[in-house]
């Protein structure tokens, strides 16, 4: 059984930013001597190369979820990991919706639960660290963000975070990459 653990293994992680146009510009920002760094041409999820039985998402992963997966594997059962959105975790915590109540951009509506809605509980919009939830409506979220004044550049950055190479986030970010040349917002 193969279980991938964390955003790097399940979605390519921050390294996958190199897969997008202009991604090479990050190397000198992160490393003082980028000429000494050797990398593969692209960073991709493990599932792009071999069959994966279960993906434990997050950056960082949740320790309770890790224990659940280990217990499930040992007992030969399916792990009971939430598949809903971070919004559901906000509701369970009693955290008011930052997007609706305060107009703060938040990836919670399209991000898989698992973090306990930590960022929204601290007054910060969700970064999308656990990747896209099952069937996320990223276009609808982008429309709501645009209604709150977010431009294509802001949407591009939001969908290219820790899990930006996951298919749903990658596709949405690419829509704003092309629109960015027409709209500098």
């Amino acid at each position: 059984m193969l279980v991938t653990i964390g955003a790097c293994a399940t979605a390519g992680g921050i390294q996958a930013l190199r897969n997008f146009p202009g991604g090479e510009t990050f190397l000198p920002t992160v490393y003082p001597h980028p000429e000494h760094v050797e990398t593969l041409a692209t960073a991709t999820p493990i599932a792009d190369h071999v069959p994966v039985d279960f993906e434990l998402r997050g950056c960082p992963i949740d320790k309770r979820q890790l224990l659940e997966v280990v217990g499930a594997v040992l007992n030969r059962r399916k792990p009971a990991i939430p598949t809903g959105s971070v919004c559901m975790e906000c509701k369970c915590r009693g955290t008011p919706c930052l997007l609706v109540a305060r107009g703060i951009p938040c990836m919670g509506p399209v991000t898989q639960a698992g973090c306990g809605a930590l960022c929204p509980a601290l007054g910060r919009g969700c970064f999308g660290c656990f990747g896209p939830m099952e069937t996320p409506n990223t276009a609808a979220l982008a429309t709501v963000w645009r209604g709150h004044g977010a431009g294509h550049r802001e949407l591009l950055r939001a969908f290219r975070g820790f899990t930006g190479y996951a298919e749903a986030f990658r596709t949405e970010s690419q829509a704003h990459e092309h629109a960015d040349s027409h709209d500098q917002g």
Side-chain angles (χ1 to χ4, degrees), residues 3 6 25 27 31 44 46 51 54 61-62 72 74 77 83 86 112 127 142 144 148:
V3 176
T25 61
L27 206 55
Y31 299 99
T44 54
I46 291 172
F54 191 81
I61 63 167
D62 180 79
L74 292 174
R77 64 173 172 79
T83 57
V86 171
Q112 180 175 305
F127 285 98
V144 171
H148 284 283

Side-chain angles (χ1 to χ4, degrees), residues 62-154:
D62 180 79
K63 66 182 176 183
R64 293 174 303 270
Q65 286 188 1
L66 176 61
L67 293 173
E68 168 58 25
V69 169
V70 169
V73 169
L74 292 174
N75 290 295
R76 295 190 171 109
R77 64 173 172 79
K78 182 181 176 188
I81 300 295
T83 57
S85 71
V86 171
C87 292
M88 295 308 296
E89 292 181 310
C90 280
K91 290 183 186 337
C92 289
R93 281 184 86 135
T95 302
C97 178
L98 296 174
L99 186 57
V100 173
R102 296 176 43 201
I104 295 174
C106 183
M107 295 286 288
V110 296
T111 300
Q112 180 175 305
C115 63
L118 179 62
C119 291
L122 297 173
R124 172 68 174 94
C126 170
F127 285 98
C129 301
F130 276 67
M133 63 179 285
E134 198 171 77
T135 65
N137 192 343
T138 57
L141 179 62
T143 299
V144 171
W145 278 37
R146 298 270 302 157
H148 284 283
H152 291 293
R153 189 169 293 155
E154 187 175 4

